[in-house]
Every structure is written in C-alpha cells, then in structure tokens.
Amino acid sequence: MFLATMGGLVVTKSGSGLGCGTEWPLCHGKFVPAYTISSLIEYSHRAISALAGLTALFSFIGFIFFNKHRELKVYASLTLLFVLVQAVMGALAVVFSQSAPIMALHFGFAMIAFASSSMMALGARRMDQQKGDLPIPDEPPVSKGMRNLTWFATIYTYMVVYTGAFVTHTDSRGGCSGVLLCNGSILPELSGGVAVAFFHRVAAYSLLIVIAVLAHYAYRRHPYNPGIRKLGVTAIVFIIMQILSGMLNIVTMKVPEWYFFSSMLHTLLIQILFGVLCYMSVRVWQLSRGTRGKIGQDL
C-alpha cells in the first residue's frame, strides 16, 4: 500500500496521469504500453496498485477465515474495501480526464487504505508477540475528553489533506507566494487559486495548534501510559516536519527538480501522521472503555 500510494504521487507530480490516455485498464489500447516515460510511470503505478489489491484480498481471506481476532478482521476488511474504492476512483480519474474533485477523493481514499493496512500490520505484529497466551499488562484508562480530542484531530487532519489535494489538482500551488505571508499580506485578496492556497495554509496552521494541544494532553496527563505519550510526541514531531516541508515546497517551487522531491516528502509526512492518529484513535477508544486493548500496547 505504501508503494502504491507513493506511486500515485509520482504519477501526479510528474504529470503522467494521462500517460496511458483515457483508457483503463489498457494503456493506449495495449496490455503492454509503448515505452514512453509517462506511460511507463502510469502503467507501473497501475501494476503496483493491482499487487496491493491482491495482497489486501489475501490478507482479508486469511484474517476472516483463519484468525480469531475481531480487530484484525475489521482492519483487513477496511483495507480491502478502500483499496477497491481508491482503484475505482483512479479509473474514474483517468476516464474523466483528471477531474480535480475525483483526483482529490482518489488520494483521500488511498490514505485511508494505507492507514488501514498499517493498522493491520501493527495489530498482526502485536498478536504475534502475544503467542503463548502471555498476559497483557493493564494500562491506565483515558478520559472521554481525550478520546474525543483524538478523534477530532484525526478527522480534521483528513479534512486538511483534502485542502492540500485541491491545491495540487487545481494547480493553485503558486496562489500564495512567500513562506509566512500570502502574497505579502496576512489577508490577501481571495480569488481563484489564491483562495484555494490561502485556505489550505490556514487549515494547516490550525492543524498544528490542534495537534499541539493533543500532544500536550497525551504527554502531560498520561505519565503512566507510555504508549499514549509516545503517540502524542510522534504526532507533534510529524506535524512540525509537515509544516516545514510545506515551507520547503514554496521555496523550491520554481526549481522543478527540487520541488518534485519536496512535494513528495510533504505528502509522505502527512500520510504517516494520519496513520499515527488512526492508531492513537483506536488506543484511546479501547482505554476509554476500560478494556486492556489487544491491538498493541506500544508504538
């Protein structure tokens, strides 16, 4: 799933989305496409995505029929579901000439699939470590307020991702020049690409505040729960890196060679942050219910 998601980013950032024309699953009417750079990039992404779909299917079959843990069944089901959904969205994006809303949805569903597969991997690893019916240590419960804050941060992060996707797919990257100010103003004239880019900036900076509050409560209010503390620290580290990578995008925007890698880094960081928050959402839900949680006690 990681390779499939990153492959989709390469397709977008290299402008290879129509490397196979408006055909799917064939590429310019052929099963094996002509050897042009754009067609190879697009076709390779399709092949890796197909492999991700097969591994999701095999994982689903394995956990549904040959595993007793309900949580892993849920993660395997979500992974398969969103792999199929994002594949359909990818096909629609090709057929309907890279529509911005469809492309944004495609990336959003791919992020959920990536997060679900990450949760499945973490859960499977924890279950493997618990072979032999070893006791699972108790952990202090968390408040419902902490649970709700974590859920809000996770959902809001997902919404911010869509604002960034619209910046990319509406070609609004140059709407706001300047690292801190937008076109030299705190509140620029909002129209067209400027409005899209400015709204994304506001959403990103407000997300930094939300994650900072979450990290503070996770670390300060849970001294006897190292798992929650680690997740809180990890979240604040990645949101800071995410903001810095966004600034790097602006600095390198006029240097295509550097911008390609900075924008890839920017998207990679938000994917990891979203995965961490999803994992944290499950942990606080389990601990707020007073259960001892069977999906990993640490990061």
Side-chain angles (χ1 to χ4, degrees), residues 77-134:
S77 301
L78 288 174
T79 300
L80 179 60
L81 171 63
F82 282 100
V83 165
L84 294 176
V85 170
Q86 67 91 20
V88 172
M89 297 302 296
L92 291 175
V94 170
V95 174
F96 291 100
S97 301
Q98 309 291 294
S99 167
I102 292 179
M103 290 296 295
L105 287 171
H106 176 47
F107 178 70
F109 288 133
M111 274 195 61
I112 296 179
F114 174 72
S116 300
S117 63
S118 299
M119 296 285 289
M120 181 171 59
L122 288 170
R125 176 178 178 272
R126 180 57 182 172
M127 295 307 168
D128 184 63
Q129 292 175 337
Q130 291 297 327
K131 282 182 177 179
D133 297 323
L134 297 176

Side-chain angles (χ1 to χ4, degrees), residues 37-52:
I37 296 297
S38 60
S39 64
L40 284 176
I41 292 175
E42 168 65 13
Y43 200 71
S44 297
H45 172 53
R46 293 186 184 184
I48 294 174
S49 297
L51 180 60

Side-chain angles (χ1 to χ4, degrees), residues 229-241:
R229 298 184 89 186
K230 289 179 182 178
L231 288 167
V233 171
T234 302
I236 190 62
V237 168
F238 273 96
I239 189 59
I240 291 174
M241 293 174 63

